[in-house]
Amino acid sequence: MSDVLKTKPFNTKVSIDKAKLNNKNIQKWILIADGKTFAWSNRLERVQVIRKGIPYDSIGSISKKINSPVKTVLNIVGVPQTTYNKKKSNHSLLDSRDSELVLRISEVIDYGIDTFNNEDEKFQRWLHKPNLSLGGSPPIKFFDTISGINEVKFCLSRIEYGNFA
């Protein structure tokens, strides 16, 4: 006689409940600017936010997150102070390149704060301190390009997993 493997019938309700629990654990990024909340949890949602554009006021939000003057973020993004002042007061939107840069900076800042166990002061020190794995430059100096932001994220990843960074 052969042993027959008995299987239980598939329970869709259990499967749906598990999927709902997994969706609660998905990373969600939020940027609040100009009284609006911009949220995304994956690359496709990020692209949608970028295409719609985010307000110039988001530059101020980033400056608060990295505890630096708005002028520092304006230099990173490459926007003159006068343009920023005018566009912010008109509630204008950043172009897609600048929107993407601001969103990616926001993501890496959130990731960095999380990597440093929500100890914002430690992350701020790390962000402004020369880093050997970045050629001796502070990580904040790499926020002006997507590739630079990726390098900072790689450094944070190495820290998170206990590797040299």
Side-chain angles (χ1 to χ4, degrees):
M1 302 233 157
S2 66
D3 291 326
V4 177
L5 186 64
K6 292 186 178 183
T7 59
K8 295 180 184 177
F10 183 71
N11 186 340
T12 55
K13 183 174 179 354
V14 170
S15 181
I16 290 170
D17 290 342
K18 281 184 181 178
K20 285 179 183 175
L21 284 174
N22 287 340
N23 281 342
K24 290 180 183 175
N25 295 329
I26 292 176
Q27 171 74 40
K28 189 160 194 153
W29 292 277
I30 296 174
L31 180 68
I32 299 171
D34 208 20
K36 298 176 186 169
T37 301
F38 301 88
W40 64 101
S41 60
N42 59 48
R43 291 181 187 134
L44 294 176
E45 289 177 2
R46 184 192 322 133
V47 169
Q48 291 171 348
V49 172
I50 290 166
R51 286 182 176 159
K52 289 177 184 175
I54 57 174
Y56 270 81
D57 188 44
S58 60
I59 291 173
S61 298
I62 293 297
S63 81
K64 288 177 188 168
K65 278 185 162 189
I66 61 173
N67 199 22
S68 292
V70 172
K71 192 171 188 171
T72 301
V73 180
L74 289 174
N75 288 334
I76 290 169
V77 179
V79 174
Q81 181 80 47
T82 53
T83 302
Y84 169 73
N85 293 339
K86 181 181 176 187
K87 300 276 187 171
K88 182 182 171 193
S89 65
N90 291 338
H91 304 284
S92 297
L93 301 176
L94 291 165
D95 63 21
S96 60
R97 181 230 175 243
D98 293 341
S99 292
E100 181 170 18
L101 202 57
V102 168
L103 291 182
R104 296 296 303 269
I105 291 169
S106 179
E107 286 178 12
V108 82
I109 291 167
D110 290 346
Y111 181 60
I113 291 170
D114 189 48
T115 299
F116 281 86
N117 297 320
N118 295 317
E119 294 185 47
D120 194 42
E121 292 169 9
K122 283 185 180 180
F123 173 67
Q124 296 299 331
R125 279 195 308 269
W126 179 84
L127 194 61
H128 296 280
K129 187 177 177 182
N131 189 305
L132 191 59
S133 66
L134 293 172
S137 297
I140 196 167
K141 298 284 184 185
F142 287 82
F143 282 178
D144 61 339
T145 65
I146 298 299
S147 295
I149 292 168
N150 288 338
E151 285 302 314
V152 172
K153 189 168 183 186
F154 293 148
C155 282
L156 289 166
S157 248
R158 290 190 298 270
I159 290 170
E160 184 177 26
Y161 291 100
N163 297 325
F164 176 70

